[in-house]
Amino acid sequence: MSAKLLLLIIKISWLSLWRNKRRTFISLFSIIIGTGIPIFFVCIAWGFYAGLIDDVARLMSGHITYEHKDYRNSPSNDLWVGDTIKINNTLTNNDNILFTKQIVNLQGVAHTAKGSVGISLMGIEPKKEIAISFLPENIIEGKYLSKVDERLVVVGEKLAKNLNIAIGKKFVFTTNDIKGELTEELFRVKGIFKTGSKEIDGHLIQSNIAIARKVAGLSNDEISQLGIIVKNPDEHEVLIDELQKSLAKNNGIFLSWQKIMPDVATTIRMDRTAITFFMIMLVVIVLFTMFSTILMSTLERKREFASLLAIGTQQIELKVQIFFETIFFGLIGCPLGALVGVGVAKWTEGYDMLNVVGGKSEDMSVGGFGMDTVITPLFSAPLIMQICFFFFLAVQLLSFFPIHLISKISITDELRSA
Amino acid sequence: MKKILFILVLNFLSFNCTYAANLNPEKILDNVDDIYRSNTSHGILTLAVNTTNWQRTLTLEQWSKDKNKHLIKVLKPKKEKNLSTLRVDNNVWNYMPKVKKVVKIPSSMMSYSWMGSHFTNDDLVKQSRMAKDYDFSISFEGIRDEIDIVEIICIPKKNAAVVWGKVEVVVYREDFIPLKIIYYDEDLKVSRKLEFSNIQTLDNKKMPLKMKMIPEDEPGESTTIQWQEIKFDLAISDDFFSLHNLQR
């Protein structure tokens, strides 16, 4: 087949599309919807996951955490890492790292005259926490910590309720220091936060890292965890290997957030699998619709094709024509579908999902961490391109059967039936 | 006449002030803290726990040395015999004879009830001295409910690891033996009361043999400790307070 003939067939394909506009629009509509819906869902869901991972990483111990190698199995107070000033300084100069946060975690019991509750005291650097974490913004009463606050803490709303404490009130924190000895310290409440997570609001207390170190018996160079917030969370695995080789001490290990918070990672993985499965089902249904419209567009032109064949047109020329018609369908429908999916996702940005599904924000948690119910889509160009390409390819594959039907056309039968 | 009355009132006040000045609140508080303590002690006591759902009475044998070594073993009932608690400094271990296991009580379990009573593991290890952790003053002395008493108000020091907002210690003026201790929360509402009664002399030491803990937020519930016998200043070596002895 010459190039000139090919160009002619392409032209005929294009013109043929617009001979029956209704048929073309129905076919395009099914492709646009078929491409748009998965893109919309992916933008919303992946945006939700990215936001959740970032929030959890910033609130807890980063995308990458440096801690004692045994801390994961048994997060006890006597497993700490040292030489952290040097490590921290090296990390701060790394271009791939946005922030680092030093943390002293202490498990213990908070006592008031009304009773006792098991808590987790998190010693942090207030200035950094304000820059990194969303928790300081979630103070609903009182104020967040500052560097000069020694015995002041911020507590979760539910914990404050359970301990019957309010701003300015005191409680005694009992824990084991790094030598295993029982130790007690008095704290007063400076602020009360509400994250929406039952676990965090019911058990977490944040204090200045200096007082947490004092209670634990740690020096200025020792901490429970060093949290690392990376610039590109998708590439943090590569960085872990590099840091482990260059910076880790004998008892220290760099771990990804998936290993630090396996509950969150598993939940996201399960959720992604469920969404993918749902989308596969949706895609199958949409592909059937697309298949039927493409098939119908061929079948309803059987007599036309028979006439063309009768006057000497080659079967291959008709097949190429249908093939290019589906290419045009794909080239127009898939980008338009992507635009629709992205557009609708963008339109829903900032909308609170609670308005749709109902319920309370505190009931929305993933792996124990509060979920931001406000829609923040993630527009990942490679992902959108992948979905578009998949649908484009699917449309081309769907055209194979109608193309095959061309060779089955009986010229005499079709012309006689007229 | 007015002048005489004025002088009489002045004399009365000065007499009381002099009398109050003779009272040393620190000494009284130390006496209350050490009422069951001596260099060493060994005794038998019963622990009666009364809750809204169940009652339970245990007979216990206890040994102590200084302020930081205690060993307590259950004698009765039979099914709980040899259940033991050892405290050395800030550490507490429990021995459970049924499973033959020694368990060190971690900080997370310090708030748990000790032997099902209204005392917690934390109450056992508390080494706080009222005279050290509180600012105190005599708030009343004289006859109240036909008993000659001294009342001391204790306000926790700013950074003391104390959950209470105020503690009232009431003692007999005659011998500073405690009559009751009332614990208030930070809002100065009564949180719990510790009442002492049945004062007798055992082994030449005068002491209340009965101590009753009444939690204010659990009406009708209480824990009563009744000393059956106690001996002081016996020869008990430090080695006695060991994990080995805990399991014997």
Side-chain angles (χ1 to χ4, degrees):
Chain A
M1 190 183 290
S2 66
K4 197 178 171 184
L5 181 62
L6 189 66
L7 277 172
L8 183 67
I9 292 171
I10 293 170
K11 194 177 174 185
I12 291 168
S13 300
W14 176 253
L15 291 172
S16 178
L17 277 185
W18 306 108
R19 273 173 47 220
N20 189 342
K21 289 192 176 73
R22 192 176 64 178
R23 185 186 67 211
T24 303
F25 282 129
I26 289 171
S27 299
L28 279 176
F29 182 74
S30 65
I31 297 170
I32 289 167
I33 295 298
T35 317
I37 289 175
I39 286 176
F40 167 75
F41 272 114
V42 163
C43 288
I44 299 292
W46 267 242
F48 158 70
Y49 300 139
L52 178 72
I53 292 164
D54 204 47
D55 281 352
V56 170
R58 285 165 177 269
L59 174 68
M60 303 310 283
S61 54
H63 298 107
I64 301 171
T65 307
Y66 179 60
E67 61 183 29
H68 192 282
K69 60 184 170 55
D70 296 329
Y71 191 77
R72 227 21 38 217
N73 298 329
S74 160
S76 66
N77 298 350
D78 59 348
L79 295 174
W80 77 97
V81 282
D83 207 13
T84 51
I85 293 174
K86 193 178 157 192
I87 294 173
N88 198 24
N89 287 341
T90 312
L91 290 173
T92 311
N93 294 325
N94 190 314
D95 290 338
N96 296 316
I97 292 167
L98 212 53
F99 296 106
T100 58
K101 57 187 278 191
Q102 299 187 72
I103 305 163
V104 172
N105 287 321
L106 295 172
Q107 314 302 321
V109 179
H111 308 268
T112 64
K114 290 288 175 192
S116 309
V117 175
I119 62 153
S120 178
L121 181 93
M122 188 181 192
I124 43 87
E125 301 157 279
K127 200 177 167 186
K128 275 198 172 176
E129 200 69 6
I130 291 166
I132 297 170
S133 169
F134 68 89
L135 194 134
E137 296 164 14
N138 288 29
I139 296 286
I140 54 167
E141 258 184 85
K143 286 181 179 173
Y144 191 67
L145 301 170
S146 66
K147 197 181 174 183
V148 292
D149 296 331
E150 199 192 3
R151 290 169 192 274
L152 297 180
V153 293
V154 289
V155 305
E157 185 201 31
K158 198 176 158 208
L159 180 60
K161 201 174 170 185
N162 290 343
L163 284 171
N164 197 31
I165 46 177
I167 302 297
K169 299 290 180 187
K170 66 178 178 180
F171 67 91
V172 173
F173 176 59
T174 307
T175 189
N176 293 102
D177 64 16
I178 55 170
K179 291 174 185 164
E181 297 290 322
L182 270 182
T183 176
E184 289 184 322
E185 193 63 62
L186 184 98
F187 288 104
R188 284 188 186 276
V189 179
K190 186 180 182 186
I192 295 174
F193 60 81
K194 185 180 179 182
T195 63
S197 158
K198 284 178 186 172
E199 282 76 7
I200 291 172
D201 293 347
H203 294 98
L204 185 70
I205 286 180
Q206 280 194 341
S207 77
N208 216 309
I209 194 165
I211 188 83
R213 275 197 177 111
K214 187 184 154 199
V215 173
L218 293 169
S219 73
N220 285 342
D221 204 16
E222 295 164 343
I223 50 173
S224 308
Q225 292 177 314
L226 182 65
I228 301 163
I229 314 293
V230 296
K231 280 182 185 162
N232 186 357
D234 294 336
E235 292 170 8
H236 74 284
E237 295 282 357
V238 184
L239 194 58
I240 288 175
D241 294 337
E242 183 191 317
L243 296 176
Q244 188 64 36
K245 282 174 194 161
S246 59
L247 287 175
K249 303 291 167 191
N250 288 339
N251 64 348
I253 188 165
F254 285 89
L255 295 169
S256 68
W257 68 267
Q258 288 99 327
K259 286 186 179 156
I260 300 293
M261 291 163 287
D263 292 357
V264 178
T266 308
T267 310
I268 288 176
R269 209 162 41 238
M270 283 170 64
D271 212 43
R272 270 186 175 156
T273 309
I275 285 184
T276 308
F277 186 69
F278 168 72
M279 282 203 298
I280 287 171
M281 286 169 53
L282 190 80
V283 164
V284 168
I285 294 166
V286 170
L287 285 180
F288 265 108
T289 315
M290 285 160 60
F291 175 70
S292 61
T293 53
I294 293 167
L295 184 63
M296 281 310 295
S297 73
T298 309
L299 292 177
E300 73 178 10
R301 287 186 288 169
K302 268 172 90 175
R303 194 168 163 269
E304 176 192 325
F305 291 144
S307 302
L308 287 168
L309 288 169
I311 59 170
T313 308
Q314 299 293 309
Q315 269 192 6
I316 185 73
E317 289 166 4
L318 290 178
K319 286 179 180 176
V320 171
Q321 182 193 327
I322 293 174
F323 182 68
F324 273 103
E325 281 179 20
T326 54
I327 284 181
F328 285 132
F329 274 136
L331 286 176
I332 299 168
C334 292
L336 276 177
L339 276 177
V340 168
V342 168
V344 175
K346 186 74 186 163
W347 177 65
T348 58
E349 189 171 3
Y351 193 77
D352 195 337
M353 282 196 289
L354 281 182
N355 295 335
V356 181
V357 296
K360 296 175 187 170
S361 60
E362 49 264 39
D363 295 332
M364 305 285 182
S365 67
V366 174
F369 293 94
M371 200 171 98
D372 188 2
T373 53
V374 175
I375 295 173
T376 316
L378 176 78
F379 302 108
S380 163
L383 198 61
I384 293 169
M385 297 272 278
Q386 273 177 34
I387 296 170
C388 274
F389 185 69
F390 169 78
F391 271 89
F392 180 79
L393 215 65
V395 170
Q396 306 322 307
L397 288 172
L398 292 174
S399 69
F400 283 3
F401 184 68
I403 286 170
H404 174 68
L405 284 180
I406 299 289
S407 53
K408 301 271 180 188
I409 291 175
S410 165
I411 301 167
T412 49
D413 286 352
E414 290 302 324
L415 293 176
R416 197 179 295 138
S417 68
Chain B
M1 184 62 191
K2 277 183 184 172
K3 197 174 178 180
I4 293 168
L5 192 66
F6 175 74
I7 290 167
L8 278 173
V9 169
L10 202 66
N11 272 336
F12 176 76
L13 285 175
S14 64
F15 170 77
N16 268 319
C17 287
T18 309
Y19 196 56
N22 287 337
L23 294 171
N24 183 342
E26 187 175 346
K27 195 179 164 191
I28 295 172
L29 292 176
D30 282 343
N31 187 65
V32 171
D33 273 336
D34 296 332
I35 191 73
Y36 299 111
R37 288 174 183 157
S38 191
N39 291 333
T40 59
S41 74
H42 171 229
I44 308 286
L45 59 140
T46 56
L47 177 82
V49 185
N50 183 28
T51 72
T52 47
N53 300 317
W54 49 270
Q55 285 81 38
R56 175 187 201 212
T57 303
L58 301 173
T59 303
L60 309 169
E61 185 173 11
Q62 77 88 31
W63 297 262
S64 75
K65 186 171 186 182
D66 301 328
K67 290 165 186 168
N68 55 358
K69 294 186 185 71
H70 283 86
L71 178 61
I72 303 170
K73 284 180 182 260
V74 175
L75 299 178
K76 287 179 192 171
K78 199 177 174 183
K79 66 174 181 178
E80 289 180 72
K81 194 177 178 185
N82 287 334
L83 186 71
S84 315
T85 300
L86 172 69
R87 181 210 143 181
V88 177
D89 296 326
N90 278 341
N91 303 305
V92 179
W93 293 268
N94 278 346
Y95 173 63
M96 287 167 282
K98 279 186 182 170
V99 289
K100 294 185 178 173
K101 284 263 180 196
V102 174
V103 178
K104 186 178 179 186
I105 306 296
S107 58
S108 56
M109 285 175 67
M110 279 295 154
S111 60
Y112 286 26
S113 163
W114 175 69
M115 303 243 180
S117 71
H118 293 93
F119 294 96
T120 62
N121 289 312
D122 197 45
D123 287 327
L124 292 186
V125 297
K126 276 270 182 204
Q127 290 192 64
S128 64
R129 304 283 296 173
M130 280 193 278
K132 183 182 153 222
D133 290 335
Y134 294 83
D135 292 321
F136 44 83
S137 61
I138 294 173
S139 57
F140 178 84
E141 58 166 318
I143 309 292
R144 185 189 282 166
D145 299 332
E146 299 177 0
I147 305 170
D148 195 6
I149 60 150
V150 177
E151 182 187 82
I152 300 171
I153 298 285
C154 302
I155 305 293
K157 287 181 179 169
K158 193 184 166 194
N159 291 331
V162 171
V163 296
W164 313 116
K166 183 177 88 168
V167 178
E168 267 178 29
V169 180
V170 182
V171 299
Y172 292 94
R173 172 140 66 173
E174 183 191 359
D175 41 26
F176 304 148
I177 285 178
L179 180 65
K180 64 180 167 186
I181 302 175
I182 305 171
Y183 297 87
Y184 294 81
D185 64 17
E186 261 202 295
D187 298 324
L188 301 184
K189 288 177 189 158
V190 176
S191 186
R192 68 182 192 182
K193 288 179 187 169
L194 197 54
E195 293 178 349
F196 301 85
S197 59
N198 192 15
I199 297 168
Q200 288 185 33
T201 303
L202 287 182
D203 201 27
N204 296 322
K205 187 167 181 177
K206 196 175 178 186
M207 56 189 274
L209 296 188
K210 192 173 176 182
M211 181 167 73
K212 189 176 184 182
M213 168 73 84
I214 306 165
E216 203 62 24
D217 54 354
E218 287 157 4
E221 297 199 0
S222 65
T223 292
T224 306
I225 291 175
Q226 173 82 47
W227 291 89
Q228 309 294 330
E229 56 183 83
I230 188 162
K231 286 187 175 157
F232 297 104
D233 299 325
L234 305 165
I236 305 175
S237 73
D238 285 350
D239 299 342
F240 182 81
F241 300 92
S242 63
L243 292 177
H244 177 69
N245 257 352
L246 177 72
Q247 299 170 67
R248 280 175 66 185

